[in-house]
Amino acid sequence: MISKPLGTSQLGVGFLVLSACLATLAMPALARDTRLVLPIYPVMQQPATREAIGNDVQLRFAATPQPLVSQSQMLKAESYARPYSTTQRYGDGRPVIRSDEETCREAMRNTLVALAQAARARGVHTVTQVESFYEGALLSTPGAYECHAGTGSAEVHLRGVAGGDGGAVATASVGVDDVDAVPGLNAEGRTAYQKFLQSKPPRTLVIRRSGDSSWVHWADGLVPRDINRPSDPTQRALEYCTERHQGECSVYAVDYTVVYQKPKPAAAERKVATEGPVANLYRLPTDSHFADVNDSSVVPVREQSRDRYLGFLALPLPRAFAVAADGSAAFASGGAAMADVLNTCEREGKTCWLYAVDDRVVWKSDPRQRIGRVNQLSRIQQDARTP
């Protein structure tokens, strides 16, 4: 074989290829930085978390983001966790590498412990408005924290306010799925709570206490079924509650975290005393004269649902009763009763129509003339009732 000398152009190409290879070898490998937003509840429910934090410091998580926090009262904490398991090993003795989610949960627990230690150093036993604060960025998702996972570790940053009485208590001993822990629920309230647990975040459940009884209202998602409602599920759930009940409504759970803080009775009583009668937020439909509103025998429902109509008649005004296509029924009271009862049906995947509203029957024999969607209702301007 006769070898030929390389031409000038070939030498140039070879030099460029060699330079590119050397440059590639010289470039440092980029470190992995995977951002995860995870729920707080799975960390708080772990016995190891409660034991590590201790009983002398109470941590209260913010129900909504708090953009303005006094620098003098602010406590910050950050910590990390390694992905290498300390309890599990492969056959050759190497430690098992945990998932990012598992490593982040340990990093979150370590950061909570660091925050409790910062509180002890400050001489306080309560940290309020605890929220995710990675690299100075406030997380807008309530009930969650931000974690950054790399090849060698995962890191979490938190902040909170030293002392104070603000915020909502994240009750470490109470899981969000513990229906029995919700005070004063009747059978209907327990059913509503179970539906809340089946919904997906973002979600909020609020509670209204009255003596030994409680009522719950919840909202999920950022797109309300009624376009006149706020997009934030916490604001929407509170709006549902205050429209249907006189007195103070409190946030009980946000996403996967119980954040309930019992309201002060005196404040609730003052509020009840100053509030007037509840007004309808929607215009009343025309009386169809299908039947007398007090005649339960002609309501087109299954026999086992007829007692629900009697329960509806016992409610104060405003009130609404809806009949589903499968013969079941739903009812609600309060300023948004008509919208609430239709939204309940939609949430359960049922086709419903209003049968009775307040003291009149609005049901019509022709399905095309019935009211079955919120957008068929006409909202009343309520400017006068807002101070």
Side-chain angles (χ1 to χ4, degrees):
M1 175 190 251
I2 301 174
S3 60
K4 297 181 180 179
L6 292 173
T8 304
S9 60
Q10 291 172 302
L11 285 171
V13 171
F15 177 75
L16 290 174
V17 172
L18 178 60
S19 299
C21 292
L22 291 173
T24 302
L25 291 173
M27 289 177 61
L30 294 176
R32 181 170 72 90
D33 184 10
T34 303
R35 177 180 182 270
L36 298 92
V37 176
L38 302 170
I40 295 170
Y41 166 66
V43 180
M44 293 302 297
Q45 73 168 347
Q46 294 175 338
T49 301
R50 300 195 293 272
E51 182 179 350
I53 293 173
N55 298 322
D56 61 325
V57 174
Q58 188 177 56
L59 303 179
R60 300 181 180 179
F61 291 93
T64 57
Q66 306 294 318
L68 300 177
V69 175
S70 170
Q71 292 293 324
S72 62
Q73 290 184 288
M74 186 186 298
L75 290 176
K76 294 181 182 179
E78 58 183 72
S79 191
Y80 66 94
R82 301 293 187 189
Y84 317 109
S85 173
T86 58
T87 58
Q88 295 177 301
R89 292 187 176 275
Y90 295 111
D92 58 2
R94 291 180 297 114
V96 171
I97 305 299
R98 297 177 297 177
S99 67
D100 286 348
E101 289 81 0
E102 290 177 296
T103 310
C104 281
R105 283 196 288 270
E106 183 178 341
M108 176 60 168
R109 179 168 64 246
N110 293 341
T111 308
L112 289 167
V113 172
L115 191 63
Q117 291 172 344
R120 294 185 187 98
R122 184 75 70 90
V124 298
H125 298 283
T126 303
V127 183
T128 62
Q129 309 296 357
V130 177
E131 53 196 339
S132 184
F133 200 58
Y134 190 85
E135 296 291 353
L138 187 62
L139 185 65
S140 60
T141 306
Y145 66 97
E146 181 177 350
C147 175
H148 285 248
T151 304
S153 66
E155 193 170 341
V156 173
H157 299 179
L158 297 174
R159 78 171 185 184
V161 177
D165 57 0
V169 179
T171 310
S173 60
V174 177
V176 72
D177 54 351
D178 187 356
V179 182
D180 293 330
V182 187
L185 287 188
N186 58 17
E188 189 173 351
R190 294 174 68 88
T191 300
Y193 195 86
Q194 290 289 357
K195 291 176 182 177
F196 163 74
L197 294 177
Q198 294 166 12
S199 65
K200 295 180 180 180
R203 62 185 187 178
T204 299
L205 181 134
V206 301
I207 187 171
R208 163 72 176 107
R209 297 294 312 277
S210 178
D212 295 330
S213 301
S214 296
W215 292 266
V216 296
H217 300 272
W218 60 277
D220 64 329
L222 296 175
V223 181
R225 296 168 179 84
D226 180 354
I227 60 174
N228 297 300
R229 296 288 187 182
S231 59
D232 177 46
T234 299
Q235 295 179 17
R236 202 158 66 245
L238 285 169
E239 195 173 271
Y240 291 151
C241 185
T242 54
E243 287 170 357
R244 295 186 60 179
H245 305 288
Q246 293 186 2
E248 187 170 348
C249 296
S250 305
V251 176
Y252 181 84
V254 176
D255 291 345
Y256 301 98
T257 307
V258 174
V259 296
Y260 179 64
Q261 186 174 22
K262 187 176 180 180
K264 297 178 181 179
E269 289 171 6
R270 285 196 300 271
K271 190 171 182 181
V272 171
T274 56
E275 288 181 346
V278 179
N280 258 312
L281 297 183
Y282 297 89
R283 298 189 187 281
L284 289 176
T286 305
D287 192 331
S288 67
H289 302 292
F290 175 83
D292 184 275
V293 71
N294 295 307
D295 187 355
S296 62
S297 65
V298 296
V299 182
V301 292
R302 296 194 300 254
E303 198 58 40
Q304 54 265 43
S305 297
R306 206 165 299 282
D307 287 343
R308 296 182 65 80
Y309 190 74
L310 298 177
F312 157 77
L313 293 175
L315 292 173
L317 306 184
R319 61 189 182 183
F321 186 90
V323 172
D326 62 0
S328 60
F331 60 87
S333 65
M338 288 183 279
D340 285 347
V341 75
L342 292 175
N343 283 334
T344 297
C345 289
E346 183 179 342
R347 192 181 292 124
E348 295 178 355
K350 295 182 178 181
T351 299
C352 289
W353 303 277
L354 291 179
Y355 175 81
V357 177
D358 284 2
D359 56 357
R360 65 185 66 179
V361 173
V362 299
W363 175 269
K364 295 186 178 180
S365 300
D366 187 350
R368 294 171 299 180
Q369 298 179 352
R370 298 173 190 165
I371 300 172
R373 297 185 305 276
V374 174
N375 61 12
Q376 292 177 265
L377 303 174
S378 177
R379 193 175 178 95
I380 301 172
Q381 294 296 326
Q382 297 291 323
D383 296 340
R385 69 188 186 97
T386 303

